[in-house]
């Protein structure tokens, strides 16, 4: 469901140039990415990703740098501080707050932990390297790159706010939704620096190409391994499997292109897809943690934990979406102004601000849905662990003597190694002989002896 949402960013950027052909151009990009994956495979994805990373970084940093030339960094920082955009620590414990300290450290960390360590696209790249040490180096470099990209994005956001601090384009009707703010900013910046729109479109196009190619490859791999390979004969040639994978890549790319071409309101679909991804991310993270940490976890506990976690988080997501659609639930946003329209941004003062009131839910049950959707991954992971551990103990512990300790985390490995080192002596001294097992062993020995005599 997330795959058709990725091309939404270049779709918004292409509308800077052409509004009629924007959806068709993005659909062609999706099909081209699927063809690239089908022909080049994982090596092509990695090569494209390396090149597009530098172009995306340059395209994000350049508009911010050029916008600061007329105003200066000091003025941008002052305007952002006066407008309440520089919040380094917000200890507000309100669960409906989207930018508090607890949301960033607990909820968003859980989501990024799943993206970096457990998502299919990340795992395929990490498994492609030869050793675990190289995989750790790749993961560390990837984390540093994401941190740097997020810093550039925040810097771009502060620059845009300082540019429109006194005359918000959404309130004045210059744009219709928040997603059009960056293209509108680039249009204004292009009057001073011609060509900046083209550079930004190229960077967005490059970043989207690498992301779509990676997602197409991972989705095709999952479809093949989980739904096609189990039904294939054992003697199937590797060439046949490769051709099926290439066909799946093309079909997934065509599906992505069709959704982008036909969907008219992708912004709403984007919000729903982000929520669904958060629900599944928390469940998968909790399931993985349950498996590598707790040796007593069994299939019944894992299955019940996953199902109940999906039901709980899905109920929260559906309830919040319904409340938002009906207007019964709204979230407080940052203040916006139109007092400085027609003035230079160096003359705008945003110190006197009146915040908008929050619309309180009319029904008591809707107060539960005010919980920020960013908490969904954390709530899903915790619910899987609590329910999975409890159900595993209720349904009977797993057989630790038949478990390979290498599949667990180091702390659990040390515990299992100690348990296995003590188990043989205990079983030799206290375990009574099983008569049925002795008879079966003697019967097998007599059959083998009879075959030897007959020869």
């Amino acid at each position: 469901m997330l795959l058709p949402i990725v091309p939404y960013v270049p779709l918004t950027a292409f509308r800077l140039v052409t509004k009629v052909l924007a959806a068709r151009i993005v659909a062609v990009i999706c099909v081209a990415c699927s063809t690239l994956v089908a022909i080049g495979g994982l090596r092509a994805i990695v090569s494209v990703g390396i090149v597009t990373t530098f172009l995306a970084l340059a395209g994000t940093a350049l508009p911010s740098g050029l916008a600061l030339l007329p105003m200066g960094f000091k003025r941008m920082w002052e305007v952002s501080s006066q407008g309440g955009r520089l919040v380094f620590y917000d200890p507000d414990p309100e669960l409906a707050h989207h930018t508090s300290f607890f949301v960033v450290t607990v909820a968003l960390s859980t989501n990024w932990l799943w993206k970096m360590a457990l998502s299919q696209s990340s795992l395929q790249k990490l498994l492609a390297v030869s050793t675990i040490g190289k995989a750790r180096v790749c993961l560390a470099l990837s984390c540093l790159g994401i941190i740097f990209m997020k810093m550039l994005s925040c810097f771009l956001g502060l620059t845009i706010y300082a540019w429109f601090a006194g005359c918000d384009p959404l309130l004045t009707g210059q744009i219709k939704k928040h997603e059009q703010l960056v293209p509108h900013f680039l249009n204004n910046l292009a009057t001073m620096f011609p060509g900046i729109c083209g550079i930004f479109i190229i960077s967005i196009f490059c970043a989207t190409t690498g992301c779509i190619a990676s997602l197409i490859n991972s989705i095709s791999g999952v479809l093949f391994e989980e739904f096609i390979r189990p039904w294939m004969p054992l003697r199937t040639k590797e060439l046949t499997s490769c051709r099926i994978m290439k066909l799946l890549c093309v079909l997934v790319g065509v599906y992505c292109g069709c959704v982008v071409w036909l969907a008219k309101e992708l912004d709403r679909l984007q919000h729903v897809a982000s929520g669904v991804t958060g629900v599944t991310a928390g469940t998968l993270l909790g399931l993985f943690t349950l498996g590598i940490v707790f040796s007593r976890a069994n299939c019944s506990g894992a299955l019940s934990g996953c199902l109940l976690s999906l039901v709980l988080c899905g109920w929260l997501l559906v309830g919040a979406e319904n409340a938002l659609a009906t207007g019964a639930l709204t979230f407080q946003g940052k203040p916006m102004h139109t007092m400085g329209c027609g003035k230079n941004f160096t003359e705008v003062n945003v110190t006197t601000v009146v915040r908008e009131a929050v619309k309180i839910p009319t029904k008591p049950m809707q107060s539960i849905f005010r919980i920020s959707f960013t908490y969904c991954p954390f709530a899903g992971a915790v619910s899987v662990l609590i329910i999975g551990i409890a159900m595993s103990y209720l349904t009977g512990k797993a057989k630790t003597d038949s478990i390979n300790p290498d599949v667990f985390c180091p702390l659990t490995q040390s515990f299992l190694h100690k348990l296995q080192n003590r188990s043989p002596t205990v079983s030799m001294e206290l375990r009574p002989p099983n008569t049925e097992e002795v008879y079966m062993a003697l019967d097998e020995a007599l059959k083998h002896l009879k075959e030897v005599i007959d020869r």
Side-chain angles (χ1 to χ4, degrees), residues 4 39 72 79 125 158 192 220-221 233 244 247 256 356 386 448:
I39 296 176
V79 173
K125 296 182 180 67
L158 293 177
M192 303 173 60
S220 302
I244 296 175
L247 179 61
C256 177
E356 297 179 357
I386 295 176
H448 181 67

Side-chain angles (χ1 to χ4, degrees), residues 94 329 361 363-371:
E94 175 62 39
L329 178 62
K363 298 180 180 180
M365 181 60 70
Q366 290 180 348
S367 60
I368 301 178
F369 301 138
R370 296 182 66 245
I371 299 176

Side-chain angles (χ1 to χ4, degrees), residues 17-327:
V17 183
T18 170
K19 296 183 178 181
V20 179
L21 301 176
R24 299 181 182 181
I25 294 174
V26 176
V28 172
I29 293 174
C30 297
V31 178
C33 290
S34 63
T35 307
L36 173 67
V37 175
I39 296 176
L42 186 60
R43 181 174 297 179
I45 296 174
V46 175
S47 302
V48 171
I50 293 174
V51 177
T52 56
T53 298
F54 293 102
L55 293 176
L57 291 175
T60 306
L62 187 59
S64 303
L66 294 178
L68 289 179
L69 291 179
M71 73 170 65
F73 180 82
K74 182 179 179 180
R75 179 58 184 169
M76 181 271 292
W77 196 263
E78 291 177 354
V79 173
S80 301
S81 178
Q82 294 172 1
R85 263 58 180 182
L86 294 178
V87 181
F88 295 101
Y89 176 71
D90 185 4
D92 187 4
E94 175 62 39
L95 294 179
H97 201 171
H98 294 269
T99 57
S100 66
F101 174 78
F102 301 101
V103 171
V104 175
T105 55
V106 176
L108 293 182
S109 298
T110 305
N111 193 20
W112 276 107
L113 181 60
W114 170 80
K115 287 182 180 179
M116 298 301 300
L118 295 179
S119 64
Q120 187 66 24
S121 57
S122 298
L123 286 178
Q124 285 187 351
K125 296 182 180 67
L126 294 176
L127 291 174
V129 297
S130 56
T131 61
I132 185 65
K134 293 181 180 180
R136 290 170 179 168
V137 172
C138 294
L139 188 60
L141 293 176
S142 179
C143 292
L144 292 176
I146 290 176
I147 292 174
F148 184 63
M149 191 67 188
K150 289 296 179 180
M151 292 177 62
L152 288 179
S153 300
C154 294
F155 188 65
L156 178 60
L158 293 177
T159 305
I160 294 176
Y161 173 74
W163 191 277
F164 299 110
C167 187
D168 185 77
L170 185 64
L171 296 180
T172 56
Q174 300 177 35
I175 59 176
K176 296 182 179 180
K177 45 190 177 183
H178 292 286
E179 288 81 0
Q180 299 173 344
L181 184 59
V182 175
H184 179 68
F185 165 71
L186 292 173
N187 273 331
N188 288 303
L189 191 62
T191 59
M192 303 173 60
F193 305 98
I196 188 62
C197 292
I199 296 175
F200 185 79
I201 289 175
I202 292 174
S203 66
I204 292 297
F205 169 79
C206 293
T208 306
T209 301
C211 186
I212 292 176
S214 179
L215 287 175
I216 288 176
N217 184 63
S218 61
I219 292 174
S220 302
V222 171
L223 291 176
F224 177 75
E225 292 292 337
E226 300 296 335
F227 298 100
I228 297 179
R229 186 181 285 275
W231 299 95
M232 295 174 60
L234 297 177
R235 297 181 180 180
T236 304
K237 296 182 180 180
E238 191 67 24
L239 181 60
T240 305
S241 301
C242 184
R243 290 176 178 174
I244 296 175
M245 276 287 296
K246 292 180 178 181
L247 179 61
L248 285 176
C249 291
V250 175
L251 292 178
V252 172
V254 172
Y255 154 75
C256 177
C258 292
V259 173
V260 173
W261 195 330
L262 299 176
K264 296 182 180 179
E265 295 294 334
L266 275 178
D267 52 346
R268 188 63 184 172
L269 183 62
Q270 181 189 21
H271 183 69
V272 176
S274 300
V276 173
T277 304
V279 172
T280 56
T283 303
L284 291 175
L285 180 61
L287 179 63
F288 184 78
T289 307
L290 180 68
I292 67 171
V293 175
F294 301 97
S295 60
R296 291 177 177 264
N298 54 24
C299 182
S300 301
L303 183 60
S304 58
C306 287
L307 293 178
L308 293 177
S309 173
L310 288 174
V311 170
L312 173 63
C313 296
W315 173 66
L316 291 175
L317 177 64
V318 173
E321 288 295 327
N322 182 52
L324 288 172
T326 56

